Structure formats: structure tokens, C-alpha cells
Amino acid sequence: AFGERFELTGDVAAERRARLSPRVDGLVATVRVDAGDRVEAGALLLSLDDALARQALGRLTAQAAEAQARVTEAERLLAEARQLVERQFVPASQVATREAELELARAALASARAAEREQAELVERHGLPAPFAGLVASRQAEVGEWVQRGATVVELIDLDALRIEVQVPAERHGDLAAGAEYTLLAGGIADEIP
């Protein structure tokens, strides 16, 4: 038997490790982390230049406002047509025409709002948030570089879920006890582990 003290070598590995890539292609505008930094879940790791995406969002927001104004006008014209039909100043078919115009305006508004939401999501995707709290293991992007979806720019590891992988010779398995305390030496620093 090994007695009270024996040494084994092994590796410490993270249960959860993520190689993060941008969600859109673009030019790196800011990098907020470096290798060795600890980050919280949701923290912005880097951002891409979103100037053109924001301009497109502004245009789509204006188009949604224009579509809303058309709905408001179509509602006003429908109310007016109903009053004129009651007084028999215009044929009843005018109400049906105004109702159809209102439905078209509402559909255009729904489409404009959907396009605006889509573009807002695209603007949001110019930032790369941390999916979980952890340690930045590496960073492969610098300000001014062009990056693409699928290319790793930051590697993040979860320090709350580590495992120690040690190879124990089969004849020594009986010398290890479940629940016993062992000393782990990592980089010359001793820590007690359960």
C-alpha cells in the first residue's frame, strides 16, 4: 500500500467551457476583457461597430411611425365615411372601401414594426455577452480586426464546476477512500479539497 502519503499527477478541467464567436460579422469596436479576467453572466465581452445597423434601425423606426400615422388617418377617414353614409351623402360602399384601407394600413404597420424589431435585434447582436460567469481563458480579437460568425474570439471557462482528472493505477484503487480529504498541489499552491 502507499501508506498515508502518495503522489499522483493529473489535470484540472472545467466542466463548462465555451468558445464564443460573434453573432454577426463585423469590425471589432471595443474589447472589454483580457485573458485571466473574471466576468459575470451577461457582462459585455466585446462589441462590434454597429453604426450602420443603428442607422438602419432609425430608418425602420421612422417607417413604423409613418405607418402608425397612416393607420390613424385611415381610422379618421372610416369614421368620417360612416357619418356621411348615415346622412346619405355618400354611398354605403365608401364604408367598405375605408374599412379595407384601414386593414391595409394596419397590416403595413404590423410589417413595419416587425422589421423594426428585427433590426433592433440585429443591433443587439453586435455585442457579445458572457453566457455564464467565469474566467476568460483566452481572447483572440483586437480592436480594428474584422471578425466573422463562427470564429472564436473569446474562450470562457466556468470556475464553479471544475473536475480533477487523475490516473490511479488499478492496484491502488483500494487505497482511496470516498469522503476522505486529499491535498491538491496546483502550481505549487496547496489547497485542501474534500
Side-chain angles (χ1 to χ4, degrees), residues 17-18 33-37 134-140 154-157:
R17 172 180 226 108
V33 295
D34 206 350
D37 290 350
L135 177 79
V136 175
S138 66
R139 184 189 84 196
Q140 294 90 24
V154 175
E155 187 172 4
L156 186 64
I157 58 173

Side-chain angles (χ1 to χ4, degrees), residues 122-146:
L122 187 61
V123 168
E124 185 71 24
R125 288 178 180 226
H126 280 73
L128 180 62
F132 53 84
L135 177 79
V136 175
S138 66
R139 184 189 84 196
Q140 294 90 24
E142 294 293 335
V143 171
E145 288 183 338
W146 184 265

Side-chain angles (χ1 to χ4, degrees), residues 127-183:
L128 180 62
F132 53 84
L135 177 79
V136 175
S138 66
R139 184 189 84 196
Q140 294 90 24
E142 294 293 335
V143 171
E145 288 183 338
W146 184 265
V147 294
Q148 295 180 322
R149 287 176 287 183
T152 299
V153 293
V154 175
E155 187 172 4
L156 186 64
I157 58 173
D158 184 354
L159 294 178
D160 291 333
L162 300 176
R163 71 173 178 269
I164 301 169
E165 299 172 348
V166 178
Q167 298 295 322
V168 179
E171 63 271 9
R172 301 298 182 202
H173 285 189
D175 295 330
L176 301 175
E181 287 191 9
Y182 299 94
T183 300

